[in-house]
Amino acid sequence: MKKTVISTLIATITLSSLSFAQAAAPTLDVGEVQFASFEERRFERRAIEAGTWIIPQVLYETMATETIDKFGGDRNNTVYFYERPVTWHVQMMTGNNNTPYVHTYHSIEDGPIVIEVPAATEDNALFGSLLDSWHKPLIDVGPGGADGGKGGKYLLVQPGYEGDTEGYIVVEQETFQGYTTFRSMTKTTSEENMIKHVDYVTNGLKIYLLVQKTQQPHSKRWTVLFLMLTFNGNLISIQRFGSVHIVRCKKKSSRKTKKPCMAHYVTSV
């Protein structure tokens, strides 16, 4: 009898508690909760998608501005290159350690850009592409590219360009900003072949505005600004040799330490 009374009392208290809890709880429309959750999630997802979508543009601008700020030069007239294959010091995510890299940055907002690629030789060739600021390849260069290893003048223009294109390999670019990324192909990575690589790049690869070529005499010499920098950018001296300005690496030569040395030269017609 006692057990029955206690069980009945517990059941009564439990039911009363549940009834009170149900009465105190606010009435929620399940449809409203699901709708609010969907809207919030859609907003968050679109924010993430927008951030992901713009990453390539942010990466391009970071590459260009950081290179120019640290090593000098400018878009449309400067070639940046390593005098030897890259190592971990460069912290390049996808860098190959068997060829030096060569880069240029350009903008066609103020007019077409010309990039002169040298012909391949027995010892040297360029392998790579011209890209827009979305990192979309526009055309390949070198033996496996549009010039077939014979070298050529690539003319970067906006879509619908109607100017004179005779003698050029025309490349339409939908974005104002773009860049090139080349690997300088050599037989080996020996000191002798690295010297040949530097000569091949500095004497053959050029970038300039088309208007410079049409407004100034063809016979004018290319002026060259040639910087030899260590990875941390320390400098020791500046020497002038005719039209060539050389800024040498501080302390030990980069060739002795085998650390990649970013260099660049500014070209003008």
Side-chain angles (χ1 to χ4, degrees):
M1 181 67 179
K2 289 182 179 180
K3 290 183 178 180
T4 303
V5 173
I6 293 173
S7 298
T8 303
L9 181 61
I10 293 174
T12 303
I13 294 172
T14 302
L15 290 171
S16 299
S17 299
L18 289 172
S19 299
F20 176 78
Q22 289 175 351
T27 302
L28 297 177
D29 187 334
V30 176
E32 288 183 2
V33 173
Q34 291 178 344
F35 181 75
S37 177
F38 175 77
E39 285 295 323
E40 184 177 355
R41 289 180 181 179
R42 182 169 62 177
F43 176 80
E44 292 174 350
R45 183 173 67 250
R46 287 183 174 177
I48 292 172
E49 289 173 351
T52 304
W53 171 77
I54 202 64
I55 283 176
Q57 291 289 342
V58 175
L59 175 59
Y60 165 78
E61 191 59 28
T62 301
M63 288 166 48
T65 55
E66 284 296 305
T67 300
I68 293 169
D69 289 347
K70 289 183 178 179
F71 300 108
D74 204 349
R75 301 178 209 231
N76 301 342
N77 67 356
T78 308
V79 174
Y80 300 90
F81 67 97
Y82 291 93
E83 65 169 2
R84 60 174 54 255
V86 298
T87 67
W88 65 267
H89 297 88
V90 177
Q91 299 180 13
M92 187 185 294
M93 238 182 345
T94 58
N96 292 276
N97 64 355
N98 56 357
T99 52
Y101 279 84
V102 184
H103 304 283
T104 66
Y105 300 96
H106 62 263
S107 172
I108 61 173
E109 185 172 5
D110 296 325
I113 295 294
V114 179
I115 297 178
E116 293 189 15
V117 174
T121 68
E122 183 180 348
D123 298 313
N124 300 94
L126 291 178
F127 169 80
S129 306
L130 279 60
L131 306 94
D132 65 15
S133 56
W134 286 110
H135 308 277
K136 181 180 74 175
L138 303 174
I139 197 169
D140 294 335
V141 306
D147 60 88
K150 298 178 181 179
K153 297 178 181 180
Y154 290 80
L155 183 66
L156 286 152
V157 300
Q158 297 181 31
Y161 177 74
E162 297 180 352
D164 183 14
T165 59
E166 185 178 356
Y168 294 98
I169 300 171
V170 180
V171 183
E172 288 192 350
Q173 181 176 299
E174 295 180 348
T175 60
F176 284 145
Q177 307 296 324
Y179 70 106
T180 67
T181 179
F182 302 143
R183 293 172 64 186
S184 180
M185 311 300 288
T186 57
K187 288 184 175 180
T188 69
T189 57
S190 67
E191 194 65 29
E192 179 184 359
N193 279 301
M194 291 301 97
I195 292 174
K196 290 180 179 180
H197 141 69
V198 171
D199 291 340
Y200 178 73
V201 172
T202 56
N203 291 323
L205 185 61
K206 303 176 179 68
I207 177 173
Y208 51 88
L209 281 163
L210 177 64
V211 67
Q212 289 181 255
K213 190 71 173 179
T214 58
Q215 289 183 350
Q216 299 186 27
H218 293 270
S219 60
K220 186 174 181 180
R221 290 187 60 187
W222 290 85
T223 57
V224 180
L225 176 63
F226 184 22
L227 297 188
M228 304 291 286
L229 306 178
T230 59
F231 180 68
N232 60 10
N234 290 329
L235 308 178
I236 188 170
S237 65
I238 299 179
Q239 301 179 22
R240 182 184 178 108
F241 298 93
S243 61
V244 181
H245 300 260
I246 300 178
V247 182
R248 299 195 178 279
C249 297
K250 188 175 182 180
K251 297 180 180 179
K252 295 182 179 180
S253 164
S254 65
R255 288 177 179 168
K256 292 181 180 180
T257 60
K258 296 189 180 300
K259 290 183 179 180
C261 187
M262 174 64 86
H264 81 252
Y265 59 95
V266 179
T267 60
S268 63
V269 180

